[in-house]
Amino acid sequence: MFHDILQRQTEDARAHLLHAPVLAAIPEGRFNLESYSYFLSQAYHHVKHTVPLMMACGARLPARLEWMREALVEYIRDEYGHQEWILNDLEALGADVDAVRHGQPDLPIEMMVAWLYDAIARGNPVSFFGMVHVLEGTSIALATPLGEQVQKTLALPKQAFSYLYSHGALDQDHYQFFTGLINRIEADDDRQAVIHASRVIYRLYGDMLHAVPVAGGAGQRRGGAHERVA
C-alpha cells in the first residue's frame, strides 16, 4: 500500500518534527500562555489557507484524477471556516485577535504556505496531500492528549481549546479518508510528489514547532526560523 511506503520514506523528516522541544516541554509543565498563543497564531495563518489550497489543487487536477477532485469537494465542506475556531480560542486567552487576523506568520509557516501554492501551480497538484499527511497525522497523535495536558497546566477554560480538541477527533476520520484516497494513487510521479511534499512540510512545520517559546530555555526562537516576512 502506498500509505505504508509514504510512512517509511518520510520517517527521518518526521523525526525532525517529533524532536521539537515543545513536545517535551508540555508534559514537563514548561509550556506557558505565550507558548500556546504563539502556536495558535501560527496555526491560524496556515489553516486559513487550507480551503483555498484544496480549491487550487482541485482546479489543477487532470481528468484522470477526477475521483480525487470529487473527494476534495467532500473535504472542503469539512474544513471550511476552521480558522475562526482558532481566533475564538485566542479570544478566550485574552489575545489581540485582530492583530493575529491581520498579521503575518513567522517564516516557517509563510514558506510552507507559499511552497504549497507553488507546488500546486508549477509542479504536481497532488503535492497538496503531502500537507494532509503531515498535519492530520500529527494532529491525531498529539492534539487531544497535548491539549488536555496544556489545559490542566495552564488552568484554562475548555472554550480555549476548540481547535485542538475538535481536530484530535475530527482528524481521526479525516486520516482514514486520506489513507483510503492515498492508496488509490498509482502513478509514480504522483506518489513521488506526495512523498517530496510530505518531507518539505515536515521540515517547515517542524521548524515552527521548534520555534514555539517554552520556559527553561529550550525551544527559544532560533536564528532566522522565527523571522517575520515583511
Side-chain angles (χ1 to χ4, degrees):
M1 292 289 189
F2 175 49
H3 181 261
D4 297 332
I5 296 171
L6 178 61
Q7 288 285 82
R8 289 195 300 271
Q9 294 199 12
T10 57
E11 186 175 2
D12 59 334
R14 185 162 56 252
H16 169 66
L17 183 153
L18 294 175
H19 286 123
V22 65
L23 300 182
I26 290 173
E28 294 171 2
R30 294 186 292 109
F31 188 88
N32 55 32
L33 194 60
E34 181 189 4
S35 311
Y36 189 41
S37 296
Y38 176 78
F39 170 79
L40 287 177
S41 70
Q42 298 305 299
Y44 171 78
H45 288 294
H46 71 77
V47 171
K48 72 180 182 182
H49 288 282
T50 301
V51 168
L53 283 165
M54 284 191 281
M55 290 177 168
C57 172
R60 299 282 297 182
L61 288 173
R64 65 182 174 82
L65 295 176
E66 187 62 35
W67 57 269
M68 187 177 286
R69 190 172 6 250
E70 180 181 4
L72 280 169
V73 171
E74 178 181 343
Y75 198 10
I76 286 169
R77 291 194 188 102
D78 281 349
E79 289 292 326
Y80 187 79
H82 288 192
Q83 69 273 14
E84 296 299 323
W85 300 359
I86 299 172
L87 293 180
N88 291 340
D89 289 347
L90 283 162
E91 187 174 26
L93 299 180
D96 186 341
V97 172
D98 285 338
V100 174
R101 185 191 297 274
H102 301 296
Q104 293 289 330
D106 285 345
L107 190 57
I109 296 302
E110 183 80 6
M111 294 302 297
M112 185 180 89
V113 171
W115 187 90
L116 283 163
Y117 277 116
D118 186 69
I120 290 168
R122 293 196 309 115
N124 188 327
V126 178
S127 300
F128 168 76
F129 291 97
M131 183 187 78
V132 178
H133 175 235
V134 173
L135 298 188
E136 296 201 341
T138 302
S139 178
I140 287 170
L142 301 175
T144 299
L146 292 186
E148 290 171 350
Q149 288 181 330
V150 170
Q151 184 180 7
K152 181 178 179 181
T153 299
L154 301 182
L156 292 170
K158 190 173 182 179
Q159 60 262 37
F161 293 88
S162 59
Y163 174 68
L164 279 183
Y165 286 165
S166 65
H167 279 67
L170 183 64
D171 288 343
Q172 292 276 358
D173 292 336
H174 281 177
Y175 202 76
Q176 289 179 4
F177 176 76
F178 165 76
T179 301
L181 184 150
I182 213 77
N183 282 334
R184 292 181 62 183
I185 295 176
E186 297 179 350
D188 186 63
D189 286 351
D190 295 338
R191 289 185 170 195
Q192 291 305 314
V194 176
I195 290 168
H196 178 60
S198 296
R199 295 179 64 83
V200 171
I201 303 306
Y202 269 128
R203 177 69 197 199
L204 294 171
Y205 191 70
D207 284 350
M208 184 277 286
L209 290 180
H210 276 263
V212 174
V214 296
Q220 295 298 317
R221 301 181 176 186
R222 303 178 304 143
H226 221 70
E227 294 176 7
R228 295 189 182 277
V229 176

